[in-house]
Amino acid sequence: MTGWLRTILLAELWVGLWTTLKNQFRPHVTVEYPRETVDLAPRFRGTPRLRYHPENGEELCIACHLCEVVCPCDCIHIVSEKKPEGKGKRLVSFEINLERCCFCGLCVDPCPTKPLTAIYMSHDYELADYSRTPFVAPLKTLLDGTTPHEYSK
Amino acid sequence: MEPRALVEQAVIPCLQVILVVLLIPLVIAYLQLVERKVLGFMQARLAPRRVGWHGLLQPIADAVKLLIKEDTIPARADRFLFTLAPIVSVVPALLALAVIPIGGVPFTLFGYEVRPYIADLDIGVLFLLAVGSLGIYGILLGGWASNSKYSLLGALRSGAQMISYEIPLGFALIGVMMLAGTASLVGIVEAQKAAGWWYVAPQILGFFCYFVSAVAETNRIPFDLPEAEAELVAGFHTEYSGMKFAFFFLAEYTNMIVVSALVTVAFFGGWLRPFPNVRALDWLENGWVLLVPLALGAFFGWMVDQRVGGGMRFLFVGGLLGGLIGFGIGAADLFGVATASAPQLAGAFWFGLKVSFFLFAYIWFRGTYPRYRYDQLMDLGWKWLLPMSIANVLLTGLVLLLRGGGAS
């Protein structure tokens, strides 16, 4: 009986209209991207970057090649040499091919430097460029990052 | 006396025609903006707001784009009919506006008598229905002349749909004509004034049938099968671009306005204020001016997206505009440009408010309902709306007979 009455009075249609009417006055969810950006979660995985040593200002990386080994898409390429004095190796070049990188963050896990890992997933995600060359990021880019273009309009 | 009659009988109606033809595209351009805004808000997203302040120039940009766009005609299309179809579609739509009254009583402007409608035909409702069904020709011709299967299918669907829904549409209005005892649109509103209520109360069934049929008649969602993009690309206007497409667009929106205006006139008392016989609301006769800033403020506050919020700011803008309008009315009265202008302006205000509501309802339906399947559409038209509208006519007749006949 009530089902019949609901059909006659078009109850479902009124519910639908009420829903859209309510939505009218709800705050919008659109983010006008270039002008405003979303807040990133702390664990957000942007491009992998390298850290400077917090004390002596050199790169923190000890050239152990673990990230190169673990990388599932082979996008990390490290060239290292023996340090002229003392123990260990030092970097000659460190390249990450961002065209191949899948932003999985696996390179960070085996990194042995403590307490900070030498390689980390940064919050940079504005990577578009006009040519393919900058996507093979050299050591300098990895350490210093890139400055994204300011949106002006 | 002779030149005076000439001006009143010929020049002023001509000017009114020009005014309507010029004004309607502008109104429709901004109606489109409002539609996009409302739809956007219904989907919790931002509407156009890049071109101009909060998208205020978006319609201009759209119009310019349509004007300078390449106007393609498909190979082996019927060039003559292809060009004729948009015109055939838009002219009846504009023609229907001729009998829509914004007010009932003529007023004087610069000493000349101006009627708030272009023509008051004794067969106004019939004229509207006749002219309204002419619009199908434009769609059928356009679909056929395009030499495209999608267009042809869309046009055929449209033809079948519009003919099916024409019948309940007419029957639904018969109830109103029986109550009013006239088919003149001005007469119908006058009859509602005399009866002391809007005809939506005794004709609720007729109103329902009319509005649903009218939405189907204008090919709007949820009855937009002729342009069902999932199946037919864009239906009858698949092959149209540039200004020709704009004409179809214009016709669709003009039809929406005509339908909303006819609903207002036939069922919601046209230019009458709400509850025309309730003494307690008599202050509305002059107090409507107070509602103008409220209405404008609420409207602008609503159209600006929620982040800017602060409806108060826009209430202020509305108040300013309303104040200017009130000042204009006062000045016109003072300098004797227009005398006794207030009742007509009040009528225009109420009329506009009601028409706006029904235009909003169109957009509201578009934001809410999914499209009908074709057989469901035919079912609804023939098995539900048609019997319902006939029952409504019979019921109205019975009640009139029992109450001693004649118009009530």
Side-chain angles (χ1 to χ4, degrees), chain A residues 10 13-14 16-17 20-21 23-30 32 35-36 151, chain B residues 38 41-42 44-46 49-50 208 302 305-307 360 364-365 367-369:
Chain A
L10 308 173
L13 299 190
W14 292 110
L17 287 179
T20 40
L21 193 68
N23 260 307
Q24 286 274 298
F25 303 102
R26 282 231 306 255
H28 62 80
V29 294
T30 312
E32 287 182 289
R35 269 207 315 229
E36 52 185 56
Y151 176 72
Chain B
V38 170
F41 296 160
M42 281 181 176
R45 62 181 167 85
L46 291 165
R49 43 170 299 181
R50 283 305 177 87
F208 175 76
W302 175 26
D305 65 283
Q306 288 87 337
R307 182 180 29 196
F360 169 69
W364 198 1
F365 290 169
T368 308
Y369 296 138

Side-chain angles (χ1 to χ4, degrees), chain B residues 85-95 135 138 246-252 254:
Chain B
I87 303 169
V88 171
S89 178
V90 82
V91 166
L94 287 171
L95 209 56
F247 265 49
F248 275 126
F249 187 81
L250 207 63
E252 182 184 329
T254 313

Side-chain angles (χ1 to χ4, degrees), chain B residues 140-272:
Chain B
L140 276 177
L141 285 178
W144 186 79
S146 293
N147 187 30
S148 154
K149 291 182 182 71
Y150 292 129
S151 302
L152 185 62
L153 281 172
L156 286 178
R157 275 188 182 186
S158 185
Q161 175 180 335
M162 286 168 102
I163 288 166
S164 309
Y165 278 82
E166 196 90 338
I167 303 166
L169 194 77
F171 271 121
L173 286 173
I174 284 178
V176 170
M177 288 192 268
M178 286 163 81
L179 281 182
T182 173
S184 143
L185 292 178
V186 177
I188 287 175
V189 180
E190 296 293 351
Q192 291 179 64
K193 194 174 185 177
W197 59 3
W198 294 351
Y199 281 161
V200 66
Q203 289 288 320
I204 183 78
L205 200 59
F207 163 67
F208 175 76
C209 289
Y210 178 78
F211 198 54
V212 174
S213 311
V215 173
E217 185 80 2
T218 41
N219 292 331
R220 292 283 299 184
I221 294 167
F223 305 106
D224 64 333
L225 285 135
E227 10 189 323
E229 59 267 18
E231 307 146 33
L232 292 175
V233 187
F236 62 90
H237 58 63
T238 305
E239 305 292 346
Y240 281 90
S241 62
M243 259 341 257
K244 294 203 185 83
F245 168 74
F247 265 49
F248 275 126
F249 187 81
L250 207 63
E252 182 184 329
Y253 278 77
T254 313
N255 278 325
M256 274 166 66
I257 292 178
V258 169
V259 163
S260 304
L262 189 55
V263 171
T264 304
V265 166
F267 296 99
F268 283 83
W271 60 85
L272 304 179

Side-chain angles (χ1 to χ4, degrees), chain A residues 82-95:
Chain A
K82 191 149 175 28
K83 274 187 183 170
E85 70 274 1
K87 299 196 294 177
K89 292 188 284 186
R90 68 170 191 198
L91 287 178
V92 174
S93 79
F94 192 116
E95 282 178 358

Side-chain angles (χ1 to χ4, degrees), chain B residues 335-352:
Chain B
F335 295 111
V337 177
T339 49
S341 52
Q344 278 81 10
L345 280 173
F349 171 73
W350 292 121
F351 185 80

